[in-house]
Amino acid sequence: MLGPVQTQSVSPVFVGRAAELTALETALARATAGEPQAVLVGGEAGVGKTRLVEEFLSGACRSGAVVAVGGCVEVGADGLPFAPVATALRALHRRLGDELARAAAGQEGELARLLPELGETTREAHDQEGRARLFELTARLLERLAAERTLILAIEDLHWADSSTRELLAYLFRSLDAARLVIVATYRSDDIHRRHPLRPFLAELDRMRTVLRVELDRFNRDEVHAQITGIQGAPPDSALVDRVFARSEGNAFFVEELACSIAQGCRTGLSESLRDLLLVRVEALPPDAQRVARILAEGGSEVEYALLAKVTGLGEDDLIEALRGAVGANILLPTADGDGYRFRHALVREAVVDDLLPGERSRLNRRYAEALEADPALVRSAERAARLASYWYHAHDPAKALPAVLAAAVEARRRYAYAEQLRLLERALELWEEAPRELRESQDPFDYGLDVYPACGGADEGPSFTDLLAETVVAAYLAGRRERSLAISKRALRLLDDGRDPLRAAWFWTQRSRVMEGLGRGDGWAELSRAQELVRGLPPSAVHAEVLALVAGWGMIHQPGPDAYATAERAVELARLVGAEGIELHARLTLGTLMVDSGDVEGGLAEMAAVCARVVELGTVSVLGRCHVNYASALESVGRSAQAVEVATEGIAVHKRFGLVESLAWAYSNKADSLFALGRWDEAEEFATKAMRLATNVMPRASVHFLLADIAFGRGELDRAEAQLAALREDEEKNGTRPEHAVWSSRLAIALAGARGRIAQARETLGRVVERGFPSGGHRYAWPLLLAAATAEADARGLPGAEEGRDAVLRRIAKAARALPQPVALWRAYGLLVEAELRRADGRDRVADWAAAAAAFEPLERPHLLATARHHWARALLADDQAARDLAGRLLAQAHESAERLGARPLREAVELLARRARLPLGRIPQAPAEDLGLTPRERDVLRLVAAGHSNRRIAEELFISPKTASVHVSNILAKLGVSGRGEAAALAHRLALFPDVERAAAG
């Protein structure tokens, strides 16, 4: 093979780009210190992106970094799935050898989807977790390789990247957090039109603070002068610089082409057409070299030498001479691995392709396909199926294209390249009717990517068009193209509307249910109900079992109760009967959850534990994703938070081992929830942050938003809590919500409104929730909401305007509480606390109420709720019997210690205030609240009247000042208190008991 040939069209001197090169070198320095970096280099075609990256990589190599380069490969108009990452991993494999093999140990079967050199691939999982697992394992492989060295992964031509590559890179950018790794990617900014698939990818990366964007501008005149000097080896005259600068407009590649053309004597008559300019030097090549360039251009971004030899038909000597001429003219270059050739710049290749005649392109694609069919070893095995499918498709030969496209679709699915699988299946749908019937009937049944879809009826039965639609429905869903999945499922159901194939129709209805729920167009029940009708009375089958399992799962979330319980039992029985253990385990997990909800706590938890053990033993990925998540959630729902942390921790280890990324996000979220309940708020926040970083689905993100809002609220950081609630609602507007999430968000809204002194807003939210009703089995969400509402009412007692309508609200809360079940000790304790808060809101709370609530929470490992009950118990003791000061002092000391440890500022301040007023020791108690807030005597007078509900005009009259002066005082008070309005200022004054006389008058 030929080595690189130096020509005078490229300047040996690196020109300009000092700031951009510095940015890349800074990223390298940070990565060397252990902080992974991601850099996107954008700019128009020919502006110098590749040259900048080459200069950076050259310096990085000199400093000891290991560099791996991969380019996004275009075959015809198609991108090969994962091509740049696979190329980079092959380069690392050649460079690091055994070290890479050790880093991949135990996961070779999965990673072989990207690096076939690692061996045979394992059987793929037909779900989104399989793809996520591959992404996670790739990230961990890179982290291991970058543990002892600085590693640079350079990805070129991201504008050609397939969807799978973009998603893998986005995952790497988001998840790498401890490695000496730099990922640099280049893309053409002028190609990114409004509907270009890279555009949303770039928008997503812009939201990541860890991704640096570097945009290259064109050269100015001085830089063009320096570039031409480097090309010619001497300073050019001013007229030449002016001419080249005017024509090139500072585009570095055009400067090279113009300078070279002028140097070769083309001083007049240069075409004004960009394409013609790019073709000038191609057309100056000898005939054989021109022919090779045309054939190479149609073959793809890179073409192997052996394949090129077959397609050109030239003898070896003639081919090498032709290649020598093209390389010498700096039009072609050897590929990085030395096995083939590529155009030095994609713009020239595109110009050559555009210059080909339509019939000529079809003929060249046919010759490529025939050569590859005759000798499959001409290209790498990982690329063979996709390239053969592309060549035959663009050769416009349906009889050859259909089987090739179907084979490539299976290969894409095995690599979890679902978007590419979908594109290939769409082509198969297009080709189906054009291909001869006998060819369609002679095809082997599809290598189904569908676990329960009914296979063809007999050994001699070929695949049908409906079978092809089934593959396409699933591929579209897994590729994130849910609208397309819905459209194809509708098309299939129209074909099956005659009732002759109810089993397949039922399967399509289950897929449609999943898509409708995912699109937020309903809860999916109508579609599942139709599927259930279709399988009723049919012989046992995996489809029937799957339908029942899905119906039971729907009931578990939306309508837990006897019907869902019975359906789950039938699903387990039927799955066992047909030997579908994966479906059986799913159904048993659902059954265990429903058993817990129904009151059989021990039986349900035992069932879930048994399922988890069996799933781990089998390595059943489709069930692994939910078993520990559901088990930990069930434990938390019955107040066993410490055990829930243990199960979630075990789940995290399992999910990491199997690379189940979305489930890992859920497991982190579960652990964070239970840590929060246990009072380990800092740890909870840490795991919640991990969950948010990994979560791509709205459900785990919603859970994290709720938890972070709760932590912020408990700490008194109301603005942060409201920001989390706003982010949650924005997510739900885009993706829909679950019934329990509506209760969660309402609880947060009520608590925040109460803390802000907006009691009317809290009551309005409560009214909507109670009128709507709580979801069946939703007591774990309803009790905290009722507690928030009762607390808001109690805290508002004494605030202006809070008395009117209070009795009706308290009756509404009490009625809702009486209707809620209390199946375990945790919810019985909540019931006692709600009752005590309702009495406090009515001014009738008793020592016994708070003593009972505190006693109920004492064994439950709920330190914040226990401290709250103890605080109010002490308050009631001091109000009722000064002789109980010793007990009150002990209770306040315990509550204060808990509040301090939790970082629960509002609770701590309330305890300190009560201790100060009762002159009970707590250690060092801060000074009087008003003084601590930094208010002047006049501002305290104004705040007293604000707390009483007076307007600025009324305040001015009371204090004999002007309304404008009163307004200035109010503004200063709001700033010092750090609150957003008068109502919140009044609520704070009330909570700190700054003006007891005002409160007594209001409560009067």
Side-chain angles (χ1 to χ4, degrees), residues 790-810:
T791 301
E793 289 295 334
D795 287 346
R797 182 173 174 79
L799 283 179
E803 301 308 310
E804 185 178 353
R806 169 177 289 144
D807 289 346
V809 174
L810 297 184

mmCIF file with all atom_site columns, all heavy atoms in Angstrom, residues 790-810:
data_model
loop_
_atom_site.group_PDB
_atom_site.id
_atom_site.type_symbol
_atom_site.label_atom_id
_atom_site.label_alt_id
_atom_site.label_comp_id
_atom_site.label_asym_id
_atom_site.label_entity_id
_atom_site.label_seq_id
_atom_site.pdbx_PDB_ins_code
_atom_site.Cartn_x
_atom_site.Cartn_y
_atom_site.Cartn_z
_atom_site.occupancy
_atom_site.B_iso_or_equiv
_atom_site.pdbx_formal_charge
_atom_site.auth_seq_id
_atom_site.auth_comp_id
_atom_site.auth_asym_id
_atom_site.auth_atom_id
_atom_site.pdbx_PDB_model_num
ATOM 1   N N   . ALA A 1 790 ? -52.849 19.573 56.330 1.00 0.00 ? 790 ALA A N   1
ATOM 2   C CA  . ALA A 1 790 ? -53.179 19.857 57.730 1.00 0.00 ? 790 ALA A CA  1
ATOM 3   C C   . ALA A 1 790 ? -52.125 20.760 58.362 1.00 0.00 ? 790 ALA A C   1
ATOM 4   O O   . ALA A 1 790 ? -52.451 21.680 59.135 1.00 0.00 ? 790 ALA A O   1
ATOM 5   C CB  . ALA A 1 790 ? -53.294 18.543 58.510 1.00 0.00 ? 790 ALA A CB  1
ATOM 6   N N   . THR A 1 791 ? -50.858 20.520 58.039 1.00 0.00 ? 791 THR A N   1
ATOM 7   C CA  . THR A 1 791 ? -49.777 21.349 58.578 1.00 0.00 ? 791 THR A CA  1
ATOM 8   C C   . THR A 1 791 ? -49.889 22.779 58.074 1.00 0.00 ? 791 THR A C   1
ATOM 9   O O   . THR A 1 791 ? -49.691 23.744 58.836 1.00 0.00 ? 791 THR A O   1
ATOM 10  C CB  . THR A 1 791 ? -48.409 20.750 58.195 1.00 0.00 ? 791 THR A CB  1
ATOM 11  O OG1 . THR A 1 791 ? -48.319 19.418 58.707 1.00 0.00 ? 791 THR A OG1 1
ATOM 12  C CG2 . THR A 1 791 ? -47.268 21.588 58.746 1.00 0.00 ? 791 THR A CG2 1
ATOM 13  N N   . ALA A 1 792 ? -50.204 22.938 56.777 1.00 0.00 ? 792 ALA A N   1
ATOM 14  C CA  . ALA A 1 792 ? -50.361 24.292 56.220 1.00 0.00 ? 792 ALA A CA  1
ATOM 15  C C   . ALA A 1 792 ? -51.477 25.040 56.936 1.00 0.00 ? 792 ALA A C   1
ATOM 16  O O   . ALA A 1 792 ? -51.352 26.237 57.254 1.00 0.00 ? 792 ALA A O   1
ATOM 17  C CB  . ALA A 1 792 ? -50.643 24.210 54.721 1.00 0.00 ? 792 ALA A CB  1
ATOM 18  N N   . GLU A 1 793 ? -52.576 24.358 57.228 1.00 0.00 ? 793 GLU A N   1
ATOM 19  C CA  . GLU A 1 793 ? -53.677 25.005 57.944 1.00 0.00 ? 793 GLU A CA  1
ATOM 20  C C   . GLU A 1 793 ? -53.268 25.377 59.368 1.00 0.00 ? 793 GLU A C   1
ATOM 21  O O   . GLU A 1 793 ? -53.583 26.466 59.861 1.00 0.00 ? 793 GLU A O   1
ATOM 22  C CB  . GLU A 1 793 ? -54.893 24.075 57.973 1.00 0.00 ? 793 GLU A CB  1
ATOM 23  C CG  . GLU A 1 793 ? -55.587 23.906 56.632 1.00 0.00 ? 793 GLU A CG  1
ATOM 24  C CD  . GLU A 1 793 ? -56.209 25.204 56.132 1.00 0.00 ? 793 GLU A CD  1
ATOM 25  O OE1 . GLU A 1 793 ? -56.544 26.072 56.965 1.00 0.00 ? 793 GLU A OE1 1
ATOM 26  O OE2 . GLU A 1 793 ? -56.357 25.350 54.906 1.00 0.00 ? 793 GLU A OE2 1
ATOM 27  N N   . ALA A 1 794 ? -52.558 24.470 60.042 1.00 0.00 ? 794 ALA A N   1
ATOM 28  C CA  . ALA A 1 794 ? -52.148 24.746 61.418 1.00 0.00 ? 794 ALA A CA  1
ATOM 29  C C   . ALA A 1 794 ? -51.159 25.904 61.474 1.00 0.00 ? 794 ALA A C   1
ATOM 30  O O   . ALA A 1 794 ? -51.253 26.778 62.346 1.00 0.00 ? 794 ALA A O   1
ATOM 31  C CB  . ALA A 1 794 ? -51.534 23.488 62.033 1.00 0.00 ? 794 ALA A CB  1
ATOM 32  N N   . ASP A 1 795 ? -50.206 25.916 60.521 1.00 0.00 ? 795 ASP A N   1
ATOM 33  C CA  . ASP A 1 795 ? -49.213 26.993 60.489 1.00 0.00 ? 795 ASP A CA  1
ATOM 34  C C   . ASP A 1 795 ? -49.846 28.330 60.137 1.00 0.00 ? 795 ASP A C   1
ATOM 35  O O   . ASP A 1 795 ? -49.321 29.390 60.506 1.00 0.00 ? 795 ASP A O   1
ATOM 36  C CB  . ASP A 1 795 ? -48.100 26.671 59.481 1.00 0.00 ? 795 ASP A CB  1
ATOM 37  C CG  . ASP A 1 795 ? -47.166 25.569 59.971 1.00 0.00 ? 795 ASP A CG  1
ATOM 38  O OD1 . ASP A 1 795 ? -47.211 25.255 61.180 1.00 0.00 ? 795 ASP A OD1 1
ATOM 39  O OD2 . ASP A 1 795 ? -46.409 25.021 59.148 1.00 0.00 ? 795 ASP A OD2 1
ATOM 40  N N   . ALA A 1 796 ? -50.952 28.288 59.392 1.00 0.00 ? 796 ALA A N   1
ATOM 41  C CA  . ALA A 1 796 ? -51.604 29.539 58.961 1.00 0.00 ? 796 ALA A CA  1
ATOM 42  C C   . ALA A 1 796 ? -52.522 30.109 60.033 1.00 0.00 ? 796 ALA A C   1
ATOM 43  O O   . ALA A 1 796 ? -53.031 31.222 59.871 1.00 0.00 ? 796 ALA A O   1
ATOM 44  C CB  . ALA A 1 796 ? -52.398 29.297 57.681 1.00 0.00 ? 796 ALA A CB  1
ATOM 45  N N   . ARG A 1 797 ? -52.729 29.373 61.102 1.00 0.00 ? 797 ARG A N   1
ATOM 46  C CA  . ARG A 1 797 ? -53.627 29.871 62.157 1.00 0.00 ? 797 ARG A CA  1
ATOM 47  C C   . ARG A 1 797 ? -53.054 31.172 62.715 1.00 0.00 ? 797 ARG A C   1
ATOM 48  O O   . ARG A 1 797 ? -51.910 31.234 63.155 1.00 0.00 ? 797 ARG A O   1
ATOM 49  C CB  . ARG A 1 797 ? -53.764 28.825 63.269 1.00 0.00 ? 797 ARG A CB  1
ATOM 50  C CG  . ARG A 1 797 ? -54.721 29.252 64.356 1.00 0.00 ? 797 ARG A CG  1
ATOM 51  C CD  . ARG A 1 797 ? -54.956 28.121 65.355 1.00 0.00 ? 797 ARG A CD  1
ATOM 52  N NE  . ARG A 1 797 ? -55.768 28.594 66.469 1.00 0.00 ? 797 ARG A NE  1
ATOM 53  C CZ  . ARG A 1 797 ? -57.081 28.750 66.446 1.00 0.00 ? 797 ARG A CZ  1
ATOM 54  N NH1 . ARG A 1 797 ? -57.749 28.455 65.340 1.00 0.00 ? 797 ARG A NH1 1
ATOM 55  N NH2 . ARG A 1 797 ? -57.731 29.192 67.511 1.00 0.00 ? 797 ARG A NH2 1
ATOM 56  N N   . GLY A 1 798 ? -53.824 32.205 62.678 1.00 0.00 ? 798 GLY A N   1
ATOM 57  C CA  . GLY A 1 798 ? -53.374 33.516 63.132 1.00 0.00 ? 798 GLY A CA  1
ATOM 58  C C   . GLY A 1 798 ? -52.976 34.436 62.005 1.00 0.00 ? 798 GLY A C   1
ATOM 59  O O   . GLY A 1 798 ? -52.799 35.637 62.220 1.00 0.00 ? 798 GLY A O   1
ATOM 60  N N   . LEU A 1 799 ? -52.832 33.889 60.763 1.00 0.00 ? 799 LEU A N   1
ATOM 61  C CA  . LEU A 1 799 ? -52.512 34.746 59.625 1.00 0.00 ? 799 LEU A CA  1
ATOM 62  C C   . LEU A 1 799 ? -53.766 35.478 59.150 1.00 0.00 ? 799 LEU A C   1
ATOM 63  O O   . LEU A 1 799 ? -54.880 34.931 59.219 1.00 0.00 ? 799 LEU A O   1
ATOM 64  C CB  . LEU A 1 799 ? -51.943 33.920 58.471 1.00 0.00 ? 799 LEU A CB  1
ATOM 65  C CG  . LEU A 1 799 ? -50.493 33.456 58.585 1.00 0.00 ? 799 LEU A CG  1
ATOM 66  C CD1 . LEU A 1 799 ? -50.120 32.626 57.370 1.00 0.00 ? 799 LEU A CD1 1
ATOM 67  C CD2 . LEU A 1 799 ? -49.548 34.638 58.719 1.00 0.00 ? 799 LEU A CD2 1
ATOM 68  N N   . PRO A 1 800 ? -53.623 36.698 58.632 1.00 0.00 ? 800 PRO A N   1
ATOM 69  C CA  . PRO A 1 800 ? -54.784 37.438 58.119 1.00 0.00 ? 800 PRO A CA  1
ATOM 70  C C   . PRO A 1 800 ? -55.483 36.667 57.009 1.00 0.00 ? 800 PRO A C   1
ATOM 71  O O   . PRO A 1 800 ? -54.843 36.135 56.104 1.00 0.00 ? 800 PRO A O   1
ATOM 72  C CB  . PRO A 1 800 ? -54.163 38.733 57.581 1.00 0.00 ? 800 PRO A CB  1
ATOM 73  C CG  . PRO A 1 800 ? -52.822 38.842 58.226 1.00 0.00 ? 800 PRO A CG  1
ATOM 74  C CD  . PRO A 1 800 ? -52.366 37.460 58.510 1.00 0.00 ? 800 PRO A CD  1
ATOM 75  N N   . GLY A 1 801 ? -56.780 36.555 57.076 1.00 0.00 ? 801 GLY A N   1
ATOM 76  C CA  . GLY A 1 801 ? -57.561 35.925 56.021 1.00 0.00 ? 801 GLY A CA  1
ATOM 77  C C   . GLY A 1 801 ? -57.584 34.418 56.060 1.00 0.00 ? 801 GLY A C   1
ATOM 78  O O   . GLY A 1 801 ? -58.224 33.789 55.222 1.00 0.00 ? 801 GLY A O   1
ATOM 79  N N   . ALA A 1 802 ? -56.880 33.829 57.051 1.00 0.00 ? 802 ALA A N   1
ATOM 80  C CA  . ALA A 1 802 ? -56.808 32.366 57.073 1.00 0.00 ? 802 ALA A CA  1
ATOM 81  C C   . ALA A 1 802 ? -58.005 31.730 57.759 1.00 0.00 ? 802 ALA A C   1
ATOM 82  O O   . ALA A 1 802 ? -58.272 30.543 57.561 1.00 0.00 ? 802 ALA A O   1
ATOM 83  C CB  . ALA A 1 802 ? -55.518 31.917 57.758 1.00 0.00 ? 802 ALA A CB  1
ATOM 84  N N   . GLU A 1 803 ? -58.728 32.487 58.575 1.00 0.00 ? 803 GLU A N   1
ATOM 85  C CA  . GLU A 1 803 ? -59.798 31.890 59.370 1.00 0.00 ? 803 GLU A CA  1
ATOM 86  C C   . GLU A 1 803 ? -61.023 31.549 58.530 1.00 0.00 ? 803 GLU A C   1
ATOM 87  O O   . GLU A 1 803 ? -61.648 30.504 58.722 1.00 0.00 ? 803 GLU A O   1
ATOM 88  C CB  . GLU A 1 803 ? -60.203 32.845 60.500 1.00 0.00 ? 803 GLU A CB  1
ATOM 89  C CG  . GLU A 1 803 ? -59.066 33.205 61.444 1.00 0.00 ? 803 GLU A CG  1
ATOM 90  C CD  . GLU A 1 803 ? -58.354 31.979 61.989 1.00 0.00 ? 803 GLU A CD  1
ATOM 91  O OE1 . GLU A 1 803 ? -59.051 31.067 62.476 1.00 0.00 ? 803 GLU A OE1 1
ATOM 92  O OE2 . GLU A 1 803 ? -57.119 31.923 61.903 1.00 0.00 ? 803 GLU A OE2 1
ATOM 93  N N   . GLU A 1 804 ? -61.337 32.415 57.576 1.00 0.00 ? 804 GLU A N   1
ATOM 94  C CA  . GLU A 1 804 ? -62.537 32.206 56.774 1.00 0.00 ? 804 GLU A CA  1
ATOM 95  C C   . GLU A 1 804 ? -62.406 30.927 55.942 1.00 0.00 ? 804 GLU A C   1
ATOM 96  O O   . GLU A 1 804 ? -61.445 30.755 55.193 1.00 0.00 ? 804 GLU A O   1
ATOM 97  C CB  . GLU A 1 804 ? -62.774 33.401 55.853 1.00 0.00 ? 804 GLU A CB  1
ATOM 98  C CG  . GLU A 1 804 ? -64.080 33.302 55.083 1.00 0.00 ? 804 GLU A CG  1
ATOM 99  C CD  . GLU A 1 804 ? -64.316 34.519 54.202 1.00 0.00 ? 804 GLU A CD  1
ATOM 100 O OE1 . GLU A 1 804 ? -63.531 35.490 54.310 1.00 0.00 ? 804 GLU A OE1 1
ATOM 101 O OE2 . GLU A 1 804 ? -65.268 34.484 53.403 1.00 0.00 ? 804 GLU A OE2 1
ATOM 102 N N   . GLY A 1 805 ? -63.323 30.038 56.080 1.00 0.00 ? 805 GLY A N   1
ATOM 103 C CA  . GLY A 1 805 ? -63.323 28.795 55.313 1.00 0.00 ? 805 GLY A CA  1
ATOM 104 C C   . GLY A 1 805 ? -62.494 27.690 55.913 1.00 0.00 ? 805 GLY A C   1
ATOM 105 O O   . GLY A 1 805 ? -62.471 26.573 55.378 1.00 0.00 ? 805 GLY A O   1
ATOM 106 N N   . ARG A 1 806 ? -61.834 27.961 57.053 1.00 0.00 ? 806 ARG A N   1
ATOM 107 C CA  . ARG A 1 806 ? -60.955 26.937 57.612 1.00 0.00 ? 806 ARG A CA  1
ATOM 108 C C   . ARG A 1 806 ? -61.727 25.701 58.059 1.00 0.00 ? 806 ARG A C   1
ATOM 109 O O   . ARG A 1 806 ? -61.295 24.565 57.802 1.00 0.00 ? 806 ARG A O   1
ATOM 110 C CB  . ARG A 1 806 ? -60.159 27.502 58.789 1.00 0.00 ? 806 ARG A CB  1
ATOM 111 C CG  . ARG A 1 806 ? -59.420 26.383 59.566 1.00 0.00 ? 806 ARG A CG  1
ATOM 112 C CD  . ARG A 1 806 ? -58.565 26.917 60.697 1.00 0.00 ? 806 ARG A CD  1
ATOM 113 N NE  . ARG A 1 806 ? -57.415 27.593 60.137 1.00 0.00 ? 806 ARG A NE  1
ATOM 114 C CZ  . ARG A 1 806 ? -56.872 28.683 60.658 1.00 0.00 ? 806 ARG A CZ  1
ATOM 115 N NH1 . ARG A 1 806 ? -57.427 29.229 61.737 1.00 0.00 ? 806 ARG A NH1 1
ATOM 116 N NH2 . ARG A 1 806 ? -55.825 29.233 60.118 1.00 0.00 ? 806 ARG A NH2 1
ATOM 117 N N   . ASP A 1 807 ? -62.845 25.890 58.715 1.00 0.00 ? 807 ASP A N   1
ATOM 118 C CA  . ASP A 1 807 ? -63.582 24.735 59.242 1.00 0.00 ? 807 ASP A CA  1
ATOM 119 C C   . ASP A 1 807 ? -63.949 23.751 58.139 1.00 0.00 ? 807 ASP A C   1
ATOM 120 O O   . ASP A 1 807 ? -63.831 22.526 58.308 1.00 0.00 ? 807 ASP A O   1
ATOM 121 C CB  . ASP A 1 807 ? -64.845 25.213 59.962 1.00 0.00 ? 807 ASP A CB  1
ATOM 122 C CG  . ASP A 1 807 ? -64.537 25.920 61.276 1.00 0.00 ? 807 ASP A CG  1
ATOM 123 O OD1 . ASP A 1 807 ? -63.381 25.796 61.739 1.00 0.00 ? 807 ASP A OD1 1
ATOM 124 O OD2 . ASP A 1 807 ? -65.425 26.607 61.813 1.00 0.00 ? 807 ASP A OD2 1
ATOM 125 N N   . ALA A 1 808 ? -64.384 24.274 57.010 1.00 0.00 ? 808 ALA A N   1
ATOM 126 C CA  . ALA A 1 808 ? -64.771 23.399 55.898 1.00 0.00 ? 808 ALA A CA  1
ATOM 127 C C   . ALA A 1 808 ? -63.565 22.628 55.373 1.00 0.00 ? 808 ALA A C   1
ATOM 128 O O   . ALA A 1 808 ? -63.664 21.433 55.046 1.00 0.00 ? 808 ALA A O   1
ATOM 129 C CB  . ALA A 1 808 ? -65.398 24.227 54.777 1.00 0.00 ? 808 ALA A CB  1
ATOM 130 N N   . VAL A 1 809 ? -62.425 23.311 55.303 1.00 0.00 ? 809 VAL A N   1
ATOM 131 C CA  . VAL A 1 809 ? -61.204 22.647 54.813 1.00 0.00 ? 809 VAL A CA  1
ATOM 132 C C   . VAL A 1 809 ? -60.783 21.549 55.779 1.00 0.00 ? 809 VAL A C   1
ATOM 133 O O   . VAL A 1 809 ? -60.423 20.434 55.365 1.00 0.00 ? 809 VAL A O   1
ATOM 134 C CB  . VAL A 1 809 ? -60.072 23.673 54.625 1.00 0.00 ? 809 VAL A CB  1
ATOM 135 C CG1 . VAL A 1 809 ? -58.766 22.963 54.257 1.00 0.00 ? 809 VAL A CG1 1
ATOM 136 C CG2 . VAL A 1 809 ? -60.436 24.687 53.552 1.00 0.00 ? 809 VAL A CG2 1
ATOM 137 N N   . LEU A 1 810 ? -60.827 21.825 57.073 1.00 0.00 ? 810 LEU A N   1
ATOM 138 C CA  . LEU A 1 810 ? -60.431 20.816 58.058 1.00 0.00 ? 810 LEU A CA  1
ATOM 139 C C   . LEU A 1 810 ? -61.355 19.609 58.002 1.00 0.00 ? 810 LEU A C   1
ATOM 140 O O   . LEU A 1 810 ? -60.909 18.456 58.129 1.00 0.00 ? 810 LEU A O   1
ATOM 141 C CB  . LEU A 1 810 ? -60.421 21.418 59.462 1.00 0.00 ? 810 LEU A CB  1
ATOM 142 C CG  . LEU A 1 810 ? -59.426 22.560 59.702 1.00 0.00 ? 810 LEU A CG  1
ATOM 143 C CD1 . LEU A 1 810 ? -59.458 23.005 61.160 1.00 0.00 ? 810 LEU A CD1 1
ATOM 144 C CD2 . LEU A 1 810 ? -58.014 22.147 59.311 1.00 0.00 ? 810 LEU A CD2 1
#
